[in-house]
Amino acid sequence: HVVEIGGYLNPISDHLFHDVSSIRVIDPKIGPATWISAGGCEVRHIRAKYQAVDFSDLPSPYALVILGYSMKPYGQRAAVDPSLLSLVDGARRLVVEWADALERAASQVPVLIDRPGFATVCRIAWRIEDGVIDRTAYADRTLVVRDRTAGV
């Protein structure tokens, strides 16, 4: 099972081709949809901020994926609130990618990736060189994969 927060223009559900039972993509701009893939994977695109989603029926174990980290507050709820920390704490694998120069990511991502009980599987520093983003301060990126089962 995979839960992606974000993914509006390029959801992970368009790219997973191996055995995944379910994928939920939560993004306030994504078109809501539900379907079963050719491989039998239940895919749900939920148009909402993660803070407004009920995760009580989330299957376990799951991986939590946040690519292009850019969390913002939702009403009175902080960008990183107890529901996000609960999602992180319940995940078997955590994948987070962010622009190094994005201030809110620099202050918020460590709160997520430094949660106890995880070991780092990999950390990759990379640069987008697409002729567009590489002209901005956001071309330098970091991707971290943390796993509950690796060395913990």
Side-chain angles (χ1 to χ4, degrees):
H1 306 285
V2 176
V3 176
E4 180 181 28
I5 298 176
Y8 159 55
L9 291 176
N10 202 7
I12 200 166
S13 56
D14 292 348
H15 304 285
L16 288 181
F17 300 105
H18 60 286
D19 187 25
V20 175
S21 300
S22 69
I23 301 171
R24 292 185 193 184
V25 180
I26 297 100
D27 189 290
K29 296 179 182 175
I30 200 164
T34 301
W35 72 92
I36 304 294
S37 72
C41 175
E42 178 191 354
V43 179
R44 290 176 56 198
H45 288 179
I46 302 166
R47 176 180 276 170
K49 293 267 197 172
Y50 85 86
Q51 296 99 322
V53 175
D54 177 10
F55 291 101
S56 63
D57 65 341
L58 189 61
S60 187
Y62 63 88
L64 178 60
V65 178
I66 308 171
L67 304 177
Y69 185 98
S70 182
M71 299 292 188
K72 297 176 185 170
Y74 176 64
Q76 298 296 324
R77 297 178 71 175
V80 177
D81 76 346
S83 65
L84 181 58
L85 296 177
S86 179
L87 278 173
V88 170
D89 291 344
R92 179 167 42 176
R93 176 159 293 149
L94 174 64
V95 180
V96 183
E97 184 273 336
W98 67 95
D100 299 339
L102 186 61
E103 237 178 84
R104 67 178 166 265
S107 66
Q108 295 170 11
V109 167
V111 174
L112 304 179
I113 65 174
D114 292 340
R115 302 291 289 174
F118 287 96
T120 299
V121 175
C122 72
R123 175 183 287 264
I124 301 169
W126 57 290
R127 180 174 178 77
I128 296 174
E129 296 181 353
D130 65 351
V132 178
I133 294 176
D134 59 349
R135 295 181 187 147
T136 73
Y138 305 112
D140 293 316
R141 321 283 294 190
T142 301
L143 177 118
V144 172
V145 178
R146 305 260 300 158
D147 197 326
R148 289 217 179 270
T149 61
V152 176

